[in-house]
Amino acid sequence: MTATSRYTGLIERYRDRLPVSGTTHVISPGEGNAPLARLENISRVPGREVDLYIKYEGLNPTGSFKDRGMTLAVTHAVEEGNRAIICASTGNTSATAVVYAARAGITAFVVIPEGSSIVCTLTGRGVKDPDTAIRPCDEGMLTVDAELGAVKATIL
């Protein structure tokens, strides 16, 4: 990246190492490229000289490290012709999924476990009853009803 170029996200930066083609349309609001911050006080261990750094992931578009995986998940979903993504989450994954889906112009379905303390405001294309859209599998994964055109986008 030169001084005059604009950073365009992880997929473009590491395209040659990722499962994308040269023609893949990348869904990215510019995640990654977070700076390293030196931890001054933790490094002060008596008798040892340690330089310890952390990645400042709060500077990602949604403020979460989840952006790193979601860019590829949504890029692949769109490339495969999916019209929606779905995830089960009470936090960062759901927020990240909604932002990346909006960027891609597709729908994000977020399944929030019953009894969760999260408060959500849903806007846009409407809400579908999760019981009719997904069903739990023995492995604890989600099987998405094909009529939704959705693909699972839960990331670690």
Side-chain angles (χ1 to χ4, degrees), residues 27-142:
I27 309 302
S28 172
E31 70 292 319
N33 210 28
L36 289 172
R38 187 169 190 270
L39 299 178
E40 300 290 337
N41 292 330
I42 293 178
S43 300
R44 295 181 186 158
V45 177
R48 295 191 178 167
E49 292 204 21
V50 177
D51 285 328
L52 187 60
Y53 294 82
I54 60 168
K55 265 308 233 186
Y56 186 12
E57 297 290 352
L59 293 179
N60 278 312
T62 71
S64 172
F65 72 96
K66 298 285 186 167
D67 290 9
R68 293 176 175 274
M70 196 59 71
T71 185
L72 192 58
V74 174
T75 294
H76 273 295
V78 170
E79 187 171 46
E80 293 172 1
N82 292 286
R83 301 179 318 269
I85 58 172
I86 188 167
C87 69
S89 170
T90 60
N92 289 346
T93 299
S94 58
T96 301
V98 169
V99 167
Y100 280 75
R103 181 75 174 218
I106 63 175
T107 301
F109 292 98
V110 177
V111 179
I112 301 169
E114 187 174 304
S116 173
S117 61
I118 190 169
V119 177
C120 285
T121 302
L122 300 173
T123 61
R125 299 183 179 159
V127 179
K128 189 164 184 150
D129 179 4
D131 291 334
T132 65
I134 62 169
R135 53 191 180 276
C137 294
D138 292 337
E139 299 84 20
M141 302 298 284
L142 300 175

